Amino acid sequence: MGTEELYPAGRLSAARRATVSAGLDALLLTPGSDLRWLTGYDARESERLTCLVLPVDGEPTLVVPVLERPDAEAAPGTGFRIVDHADGDDPWPLVRAALSGPVRAVGIADRMWAQQVLALRAALPDATQRLASEVLRELRIRKSPAEVAALAEAGAAIDAVHRRMGEWLRPGRTEREVAADIAAAIRAAGHAEVDFVIVAAGPHGASPHHGTSDRPIGAGEPVVVDIGGTMPSGYRSDCTRTYVAGGPAPAGFADLYAVLRDAQRAAVAAVRPGVTAEDLDAVARDMITAAGFGDAFLHRTGHGIGLDTHEDPYVVTGNPRPLEAGMAFSVEPGIYLAGRYGARIEDIVVCTTDGGQRLNTTPTELIAL
């Protein structure tokens, strides 16, 4: 797909209108997904300031280090001018110059570095600082058809890696050895970057964010494999499957897994516009709780995904936000028994006009390798 579809003209104007509605005078965006969503520029994070200045009046301006200007000029977005600063120069007067009139309140990137937040406060001492996500969340939360296509491409790429798991996941190999093979395969499948590889065998599977270790995988141990990466488009993959390596599963594990599989499938089937995020969480959680594993479901059912692996909407108790067509998120219940094993199943799902579409298509049955 063309970058003009993923980063279309008009986003800066939409963001400007939303900025006015929020009662802000400007958005100030340092490197991150908001900057990339608006401009297509995948800027480096560093001590050298890169900042998009989007005032409600005046021309949008991208302030960049002079040595990174060629990359900024190659970005697919349009509608902004670029000004640069040399090493040793103070870049903050360039930011101030891009703002017209009095500046009473600005929205700053949610993940702006603290040293930049403090420098900005010194440059605009009378301006209230608020989070830019107050403005941009509503613009980004519903994915365009091009964004859904990019997420589907990412889902297919990570599915291809899961389909090869039998090549690497064997008793006697360490989690770290398996993870190294998986990371190479993530790149080979078309990802530009490997974001994470979790290979959690046996008792390590009871820790949802275990990572990897030098512990060898035992015969018959359940292994949670949660992997994801960033595609050249900037859009992310994230998919979890649970395997049994080289032998019969421990007593009781197949029954536990059947509860999890049914809960995950029910939650995927429940996706449709109007269902709230917390009600979707409850679909999986109530089934797992009814089976006696409620205390072992340690996390939310899902998180939004796009240019960030974790973004709105969050499928969690306490979030009354109704689902809408175009929202993309994970559905990933898990059951974790400390000291024994764990299991998780994760698909990325897009809410459509009349239901939900799974972007991961590998089987969710327990897979014995």
Side-chain angles (χ1 to χ4, degrees):
M1 76 191 66
T3 54
E4 67 280 357
E5 297 174 86
L6 277 176
Y7 302 105
R11 281 185 175 171
L12 288 169
S13 295
R16 191 197 304 272
R17 291 191 296 271
T19 302
V20 172
S21 297
L24 297 172
D25 297 305
L27 296 183
L28 302 174
L29 303 176
T30 46
S33 59
D34 283 337
L35 174 62
R36 188 168 189 179
W37 188 83
L38 283 169
T39 67
Y41 181 35
D42 185 18
R44 296 176 180 85
E45 290 187 354
S46 82
E47 73 285 356
R48 297 182 173 100
L49 181 68
T50 295
C51 184
L52 175 67
V53 183
L54 179 60
V56 295
D57 294 309
E59 187 177 13
T61 300
L62 183 61
V63 178
V64 300
V66 65
L67 71 168
E68 293 171 11
R69 183 170 187 135
D71 289 342
E73 290 175 338
T78 59
F80 55 92
R81 69 185 181 109
I82 298 173
V83 298
D84 57 54
H85 57 94
D87 281 356
D89 290 347
D90 181 1
W92 292 102
L94 297 177
V95 173
R96 186 64 186 89
L99 297 166
S100 58
V103 180
R104 297 156 303 221
V106 295
I108 65 172
D110 287 23
R111 300 174 190 175
M112 184 181 286
W113 287 10
Q115 67 185 46
Q116 295 167 342
V117 173
L118 295 176
L120 175 60
R121 185 172 296 165
L124 298 171
D126 298 324
T128 299
Q129 295 177 351
R130 288 162 50 189
L131 294 177
S133 59
E134 295 179 28
V135 172
L136 296 175
R137 179 187 296 114
E138 287 304 309
L139 299 180
R140 291 182 54 187
I141 198 169
R142 290 167 293 274
K143 288 354 185 222
S144 69
E147 289 179 291
V148 172
L151 286 169
E153 181 182 40
I158 209 68
D159 282 352
V161 179
H162 272 294
R163 290 191 182 97
R164 296 181 58 193
M165 207 58 59
E167 298 177 29
W168 316 303
L169 192 56
R170 298 188 298 275
R173 302 197 75 206
T174 68
E175 294 171 341
R176 202 177 312 279
E177 288 170 338
V178 173
D181 290 332
I182 292 172
I186 289 173
R187 293 188 180 91
H191 292 81
E193 299 176 21
V194 178
D195 293 336
F196 55 89
V197 177
I198 293 174
V199 180
H204 288 168
S207 175
H209 283 175
H210 162 68
T212 62
S213 76
D214 290 322
R215 178 185 180 276
I217 297 168
E221 284 190 331
V223 186
V224 178
V225 178
D226 184 354
I227 53 179
T230 302
M231 298 294 284
S233 65
Y235 286 77
R236 309 292 184 107
S237 65
D238 186 3
C239 183
T240 308
R241 294 292 183 263
T242 301
Y243 302 88
V244 174
F253 184 77
D255 292 338
L256 175 151
Y257 190 86
V259 170
L260 178 66
R261 178 202 61 208
D262 291 348
Q264 199 266 351
R265 289 180 178 176
V268 170
V271 173
R272 65 181 184 278
V275 173
T276 67
E278 62 183 356
D279 284 348
L280 186 60
D281 178 272
V283 170
R285 195 168 305 278
D286 289 352
M287 291 178 67
I288 291 171
T289 299
F293 296 112
D295 290 342
F297 184 3
L298 303 177
H299 52 73
R300 63 197 173 205
T301 292
H303 56 81
I305 190 169
L307 288 172
D308 288 315
T309 304
H310 289 186
E311 60 183 51
D312 289 295
Y314 292 98
V315 182
V316 64
T317 302
N319 183 4
R321 175 80 187 242
L323 301 181
E324 300 175 51
M327 290 182 177
F329 45 85
S330 67
V331 177
E332 52 173 309
I335 300 175
Y336 310 95
L337 301 185
R340 297 173 64 188
Y341 43 64
R344 181 164 65 254
I345 305 169
E346 177 183 21
D347 291 320
I348 301 303
V349 180
V350 175
C351 185
T352 65
T353 56
D354 58 359
Q357 175 190 358
R358 284 176 68 220
L359 299 187
N360 299 106
T361 60
T362 54
T364 56
E365 300 290 347
L366 182 61
I367 300 172
L369 299 176

